[in-house]
Every structure is written in C-alpha cells, then in structure tokens.
C-alpha cells in the first residue's frame, strides 16, 4: 500500500464541524491535521457590553455544555470585582455543574460514542433470554428481563425492516473491528434508548435552579433563585413556597429525585456497561495515547472558588505521564497559558508566531484558506478556526482523563479505590489509562465520583435551609457605581470536556476584552509555531487504519475526546453541510 490522505469531514456524532485529514502509509496514520471549519465570534460580540449580561451571551457558545460558559462568565466578573457569593449559591452551582457533567457524559457514551463499539445491526441476531442473563450478571438494573429485551429487539427489527435506519444510518455495521457478541449489542441498544428517557429527568435539576434547560439562568453575585420554604414544610414535607421563580419544597424534592436517578443510572447501567464493553476492546487501552501532558483547573469548591484547597477536583498538571508529581498552574501569569495562531485563520498584531495570554488576547479573523468546499487543507499554512492554547509552551490534553489523573495522582482516596478496582477487573495496569479507551473509561469513572458527591452538596444545602440560612444572592456589588474604573478577572470551571476559563477586562463598567479558552480548543487545536501537534493530531499518529474507506479507528480516538467545535471556535460554513465523507486519494 502506498501513501494516502484520508479525509473525514464532517466528523459526525459530535457537536459542530470538525474535519480530520490523516496521512496513511502502509495502513498506519503517520500524521494528522485537525481543523475546526466553522467560525462564530462570541468574543467580539461581548465587547462593549455590561459584564453582568456577559453570561447570557457567552452561554450561547454551546448548546451541549449549555451551562458551563454561564458559570465561567459569572465567575470571571465576580473575580474581577472581588464579589463574594453566598454559600447556598456555591452549592447550587455545584449541583448544576455536576448534573451537567453526568448528563453530558451519559449522552456522549450512548448517543455519540457507543456506535464506535456497538454494532446495532448485530443486535438483530441476539437471543433476548441470553441478553437478559448477561444484563443481570452485570447489575441489578430492573429493566433487564427477557421480555424487555425481546420488546426492544422487535421494535428495532420493525424499524430496520422499514429500510430506514434513521438515527442509526451511516454506521460501519458489519466492520470486523466490532467485537461485541449480539447480546451485548442488544443490551447496549436498549440502554441507548433508556439513556434518552433518563436525560429528560436529569434536565429537571437545571429547571428547578435556573428556570430552564438548556441554557439555565445565572446571575453575577449568586444564584438566580430565591429559596422559599417554610419551617413547617421542612418538617412535614408539604410543598410550600411563594413566587414562580422561588425554589420551594417541591423543587427541592425534584432535585433529590434527580440525584437518586443520576446515581442509580451510573451504578446500574453506565458503569457496568463501560467495564463490559471495554473488556472486549482491551487493545484500545494501548491505542490513541496522545501527548501525555494533562491539565485541570479544578472544580467543586466547598468554600470560595479561589480557595483552591477547597476544590473537590484539584487543580494541576501532569507531565509526560508521570503520576508521581502534580505541577501547579496559574491562570493569571502572562507566561503560563497562552494561545497561538500560527496555523489558525486569525492574525495577531504582534505577529503570527507570538503567543498571547488571554488578558491580552486578540480575535482578528484572517481567513487565508481555499474557498470551501476545498479538496485539502493547506496544513503547512493556516488550517483551522481553532487557536492553539499551550501551557508554558507545552501541548496539554484536558478532559475527564486529565481530571481523573490529577485526582489519582494527588491521592484522592475514592478515585484511587474506584480506578484500581476497575483496572483490576480488566486486568490492566494504570498506564492503560493513557489511551483511547482510558479517556472513555475516565469519563465514566468521574461520573461516579461526581454523581456521588452531589448528595453531600444537597444535604449541606438542606441543612443551611433548616438553619434558616436562605441567602442565595449578594446584592453588595451589583451597582457599577461601586466598581473600580478598571478591573480584570478570570473565571474557571471544569466543563464536561475539560478545563474552561473566561478572562474579562472591564473598563468604566463595560467589557473591554473578553477571551474564552475552551476544552475543545485545547484538545482540537492545530499545530503551534513550534510545529507541535495538537492533542487530537498526536493521538491519531501511529493508529492502524486497516480499511481507509471505513475510518472507524479515527472515529474511536477522536470521539474519545468528545469534541465540541462550537465551543472550540466559539466563533458557519453553510457550504460545509454534508454527510460524513471519506475521500481516499
Ligand atoms: Ni460545547 Fe464545552 C464542554 C465547553 S467544550 S461542549 O464540555 O466549554 O469543549
Ligand atoms: Mg477564545
């Protein structure tokens, strides 16, 4: 076999428009280019606006991680103004972020990533009795009877017989890279459908605290909801409350119900499914390794957000897969986090080879590429609307794996126990985490850790309410007349796909500069001025691609990062709307 370029554009079952071009020699990927092919411009739209409104605009960066840009934004403004928020607001934010995490991870596993591992057509060959036996051997999830699986199989068989596979169209069904037996495929198909119904329940938590989902409301200075609960109601459980926007006992009971549903689904379905499926693909714990440097900003404060010791997920850096040391990082230091545009369709006034810290960041669109639709990227020049963030010049992977590694390396006991037990079940060493399947498993494991933690935040919130502590909003610094003439701040969070921060510069009460550096920007960005591959690009190198016309292996590794390109560029290329297309030249 000679040299080929395989183009996957757009990659489907992600958010946004991503193009991958891979150079393939003798059946192995020797180099890859990752390109965000859509451009928006939220950072530009925000200039000149009231910083208290920024969250509502910033949140529209994305419709998947709908809440996290709202959180990063209000935190950035609060940081700039040294604006403390009540503890109840902190707890409500923790619960909202956590619900987003687990909702998003389950959706990624079943709706976006599962079909890289699960051959749904093979489910038509499954024996429902054997499927039930398999499911019951994995967990005590109640929807595991032979009758249930027979029903799902019949429904799917009628669907397939109609000749239209709908949401399951365009898969590489029958590809020999699929390893699950028919019964495991049927079980996963049933859980794909169950996961949709479950997500509808989880979304209610955002509606209780933020008025709606997607895109719940936020407010600079606290939580956008009053708590309205009478002491009598707390004792007899009767719903009480006034005002359509106040959280009452009914709302709090819905939140408790959602937390139970989250934990139940993770324990009974998501975690056992991940371990069972991973067991058939153990070779993928050695593939898609990537850059080996990991970064997490940290999340889930028990005190103020800048009290880093109080973060449940710690902040830190892991270099060269070395779990013996967690390195510190600083979000304000001008020489640590910088964005590069050497291979991006942007210009910098300081020149294209310079990096800029986000406080001094620039968003000047400079499209120099070919007119779409184009045959190939010019990967020697600029080839993406995504910038290339770096930490001290180094390429960093962000996301669930980064967080689980930082938790593990800093000695978090629950994480150690869970990770070690999972690896033992699979008979794998800890180094197996640095891989495509490691990323996927880490997403599940952190869902368990975060879902479990939700009960503690809920109990704390309820204890505060019982003690008469109802404050959710601090009005002290709401009026711009109380603000300094100039202020700047950074708001960080962990989004489902990784470390996220917004940097804001406020002058005379208005936004002078606003820069978002987003998880998928870190992971999907192109090469930098030094020629270092971005994380997607690095992870694809060395991957075997036995059938370039069915690049399932590219999808497995790219999907393991859970790409979101709307986030990554936060800045459409209507001409680019085509179905997944593979070009072999
Ligand atoms: Ni649009 Fe997002 C998350 C953020 S992405 S999905 O998670 O921020 O990179
Ligand atoms: Mg940006």
């Amino acid at each position: 076999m000679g040299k080929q370029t395989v183009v996957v554009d757009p990659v489907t079952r992600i958010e946004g428009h991503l193009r991958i071009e891979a150079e393939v020699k003798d059946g192995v990927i020797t180099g890859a280019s990752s390109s965000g092919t859509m451009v928006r411009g939220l950072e530009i739209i925000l200039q000149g606006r009231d910083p208290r409104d920024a969250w509502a605009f910033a949140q529209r960066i994305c419709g998947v991680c709908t809440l996290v840009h709202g959180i990063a934004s209000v935190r950035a403004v609060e940081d700039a103004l040294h604006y403390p928020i009540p503890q109840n607001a902190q707890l409500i934010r923790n619960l909202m972020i956590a619900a987003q995490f687990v909702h998003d991870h389950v959706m990624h596993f079943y709706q976006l990533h599962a079909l890289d591992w699960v051959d749904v057509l093979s489910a038509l060959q499954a024996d429902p009795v054997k499927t039930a036996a398999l499911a019951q051997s994995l967990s005590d999830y109640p929807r595991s009877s032979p009758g249930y699986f027979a029903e799902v199989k019949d429904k799917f068989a009628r669907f397939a017989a109609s000749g239209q596979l709908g949401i399951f169209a365009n898969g590489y069904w029958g590809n020999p890279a699929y390893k699950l037996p028919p019964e495991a495929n049927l079980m996963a198909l049933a859980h794909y459908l169950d996961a949709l119904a479950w997500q509808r329940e989880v979304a209610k938590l955002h509606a209780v605290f933020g008025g709606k989902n997607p895109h719940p409301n936020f407010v600079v200075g606290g939580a956008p909801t009053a708590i309205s609960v009478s002491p009598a109601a707390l004792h007899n459980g009767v719903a009480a409350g006034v005002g359509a926007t106040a959280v009452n006992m009914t709302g709090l009971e819905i939140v408790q119900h959602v937390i139970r549903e989250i934990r139940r689904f993770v324990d009974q379905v998501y975690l056992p499914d991940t371990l069972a499926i991973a067991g058939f693909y153990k070779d993928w714990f050695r593939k898609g390794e990537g850059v080996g440097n990991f970064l997490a900003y940290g999340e889930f404060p028990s005190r103020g957000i800048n009290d880093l010791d109080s973060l449940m997920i710690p902040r830190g850096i892991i270099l060269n897969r070395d779990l013996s040391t967690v390195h510190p990082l600083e979000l304000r230091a001008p020489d640590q986090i910088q964005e590069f545009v050497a291979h991006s369709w942007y210009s910098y006034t300081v020149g294209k080879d310079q990096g800029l810290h986000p406080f001094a960041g620039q968003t000047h669109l400079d499209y120099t590429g070919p007119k779409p639709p184009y045959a190939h990227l010019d990967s020697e020049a600029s080839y993406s609307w995504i910038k290339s963030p770096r930490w001290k010049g180094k390429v960093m992977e962000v996301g669930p794996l980064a967080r689980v590694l930082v938790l593990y390396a800093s000695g978090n006991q629950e994480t150690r126990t869970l990770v070690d037990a999972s690896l033992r079940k699979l008979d794998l060493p800890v180094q197996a985490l640095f891989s495509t399947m490691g990323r996927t498993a880490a997403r599940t494991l952190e869902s368990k850790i975060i879902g479990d933690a939700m009960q503690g935040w809920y109990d704390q919130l309820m204890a505060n309410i019982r003690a008469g502590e109802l404050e959710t909003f601090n009005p002290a610094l709401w009026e711009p007349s109380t603000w300094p003439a100039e202020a700047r701040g950074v708001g960080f969070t962990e989004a489902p796909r990784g470390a996220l921060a917004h940097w804001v510069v406020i002058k005379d009460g208005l936004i002078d500069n606003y820069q978002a550096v987003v998880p998928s920007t870190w992971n999907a960005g192109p090469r930098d001025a030094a020629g270092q591959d971005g994380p997607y690009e690095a992870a694809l190198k060395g991957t075997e691609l036995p059938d370039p016309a069915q690049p399932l292996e590219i999808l497995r590794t790219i999907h393991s990062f859970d790409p979101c390109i709307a986030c990554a560029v936060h800045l459409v290329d209507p001409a680019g709307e085509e179905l997944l297309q593979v070009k072999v030249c």
Side-chain angles (χ1 to χ4, degrees):
M1 245 191 270
K3 212 172 151 192
Q4 299 170 303
T5 304
V6 176
V7 179
V8 188
D9 180 13
V11 176
T12 56
R13 290 194 186 258
I14 65 164
E15 203 290 336
H17 298 240
L18 175 69
R19 175 183 180 100
I20 297 289
E21 285 194 11
E23 300 298 327
V24 181
K25 194 160 183 294
D26 300 329
V28 176
I29 296 175
T30 54
S33 297
S34 160
S35 172
T37 57
M38 61 195 277
V39 62
R40 295 167 73 213
L42 266 297
E43 289 168 345
I44 302 167
I45 290 169
L46 279 161
Q47 288 167 10
R49 294 188 185 271
D50 187 320
R52 294 168 299 178
D53 294 343
W55 67 268
F57 291 87
Q59 223 181 27
R60 270 65 189 177
I61 286 174
C62 187
V64 174
C65 57
T66 73
L67 144 158
V68 299
H69 293 286
I71 286 277
S73 183
V74 293
R75 282 180 177 167
V77 175
E78 287 159 2
D79 185 58
L81 302 174
H82 302 285
Y83 198 152
I85 67 167
Q87 202 211 14
N88 286 343
Q90 205 75 268
L91 292 164
I92 289 172
R93 288 184 185 178
N94 280 0
L95 288 167
M96 293 177 78
I97 297 167
Q100 173 77 50
F101 257 90
V102 189
H103 180 290
D104 206 337
H105 286 357
V106 167
M107 182 190 68
H108 173 261
F109 186 76
Y110 290 98
Q111 275 72 45
L112 304 182
H113 196 26
L115 303 184
D116 300 337
W117 315 103
V118 173
D119 183 339
V120 286
L121 281 192
S122 143
L124 295 172
Q125 315 305 320
D127 174 348
V129 175
K130 285 191 194 153
T131 307
L134 169 70
Q136 290 166 15
S137 76
L138 296 173
S139 92
D140 49 5
Y141 182 53
R143 291 160 79 90
S144 299
S145 67
Y148 178 60
F149 289 116
E151 199 183 300
V152 172
K153 185 181 161 182
D154 286 351
K155 204 194 284 178
F156 185 56
R158 284 198 302 277
F159 190 57
S162 75
Q164 292 181 351
L165 278 172
I167 53 173
F168 300 119
N170 290 337
Y172 299 132
W173 314 131
N175 187 302
Y178 286 108
K179 304 289 186 204
L180 298 183
E183 285 71 26
N185 286 316
L186 177 58
M187 182 183 78
L189 171 64
H191 294 169
Y192 180 113
L193 302 172
D194 288 356
L196 291 172
W198 172 88
Q199 285 163 48
R200 188 184 55 221
E201 288 304 297
V202 175
K204 290 178 181 170
L205 189 147
H206 285 179
V208 169
F209 287 132
K212 63 194 182 70
N213 170 295
H215 296 307
N217 293 302
F218 287 99
V219 67
V220 169
T225 181
I227 295 173
S228 177
V229 177
S230 71
L234 285 166
H235 286 292
N236 59 22
V238 176
V242 287
T245 56
V247 174
N248 57 22
M249 263 322 277
T250 310
L252 291 165
E253 279 164 10
I254 292 172
V255 171
Q256 177 63 82
H257 156 78
V258 170
I259 295 170
R260 272 193 218 106
E261 286 300 303
I262 284 177
R263 299 180 71 189
R264 187 183 63 86
F265 198 84
V266 170
D267 286 344
Q268 297 184 340
V269 187
Y270 183 25
L271 188 55
D273 279 359
T274 302
L275 294 177
I277 292 174
F280 286 92
Y281 292 103
K282 282 169 68 171
D283 53 332
W284 281 90
F285 281 101
R286 294 189 306 272
K287 298 179 182 178
E289 282 188 308
V291 293
N293 298 328
F294 299 90
L295 173 152
Y297 292 155
E299 186 51 279
F300 302 120
S302 53
R303 298 186 292 273
I305 184 68
N306 284 322
D307 185 343
L308 298 181
D309 291 339
S310 87
L311 301 180
M312 185 192 99
I313 299 177
R315 173 174 295 183
I317 298 259
I318 286 173
L319 294 176
N320 305 317
R321 303 183 181 88
D322 173 7
L323 294 177
S324 69
T325 312
V326 179
H327 302 268
L329 83 137
E330 233 300 317
L331 278 69
R332 291 176 184 80
D335 56 346
Q336 293 208 11
I337 294 170
Q338 295 185 331
E339 285 193 301
F340 291 81
V341 294
H343 289 283
S344 310
W345 290 311
Y346 300 96
S347 62
Y348 278 172
T349 52
V350 292
K352 231 167 140 66
D353 284 353
Q354 297 294 309
L356 288 177
H357 182 271
F359 274 143
Q362 300 176 5
T363 308
H364 305 305
L365 312 190
D366 182 26
Y367 187 71
T368 55
K371 196 170 177 290
Y374 40 79
H376 285 295
L377 298 168
D378 184 358
S379 54
E380 296 299 313
S382 297
Y383 61 91
S384 182
W385 285 112
I386 307 176
K387 295 177 179 174
S388 309
R390 297 291 183 260
W391 176 73
K392 293 189 178 176
K394 293 181 194 305
V395 187
M396 310 299 296
E397 175 175 337
V398 301
L401 179 56
R403 288 187 287 257
V404 167
L405 293 173
V406 170
L407 275 162
Y408 191 94
S410 22
N412 178 284
Q413 206 45 54
E414 188 191 353
T415 307
R416 286 210 163 235
T417 306
L418 183 64
V419 169
D420 290 343
S422 305
L423 289 168
R424 225 177 358 253
K425 256 191 195 146
L426 293 163
D427 191 22
L428 290 167
V430 71
Q431 289 77 14
L433 291 170
F434 305 117
S435 64
T436 294
M437 197 52 100
R439 262 175 227 116
T440 298
R443 194 170 284 110
T444 310
L445 297 176
E446 78 164 3
S447 298
K448 165 79 179 147
I449 294 163
I450 293 168
D452 286 354
M454 290 180 80
Q455 189 63 47
W457 299 320
Y458 179 81
D459 292 344
Q460 181 65 51
L461 179 64
M462 293 305 290
N464 289 354
I465 295 171
R466 283 194 185 92
E469 177 51 66
L470 302 181
E471 197 193 4
T472 55
F473 172 67
N474 171 11
L477 298 175
W478 181 251
E479 288 304 328
S481 57
T482 64
W483 303 353
E486 194 170 337
R488 53 197 213 167
V490 53
F492 68 88
T493 181
E494 285 290 331
R497 289 158 195 77
L500 166 67
H502 291 189
W503 284 259
V504 64
V505 179
I506 301 170
K507 276 193 188 149
D508 300 325
L510 298 176
I511 294 172
D512 189 57
N513 195 9
Y514 200 99
Q515 292 286 320
V517 182
V518 179
S520 294
T521 314
W522 283 99
N523 286 339
R527 283 177 279 285
D528 55 30
Q532 301 179 97
D533 282 335
Y536 288 8
E537 297 173 334
L540 287 173
K541 243 180 198 166
T543 300
E544 289 172 24
L545 200 62
D547 180 0
Q550 295 205 346
L552 189 53
E553 291 76 11
I554 293 180
L555 294 182
R556 285 177 172 174
T557 292
I558 293 297
H559 282 158
S560 75
F561 288 93
D562 191 5
C564 176
I565 306 308
C567 273
V569 290
H570 36 276
L571 284 189
V572 159
D573 171 15
E577 286 286 355
E578 25 182 333
L579 287 176
L580 182 140
Q581 169 196 71
V582 180
K583 288 186 195 142
V584 182
C585 16

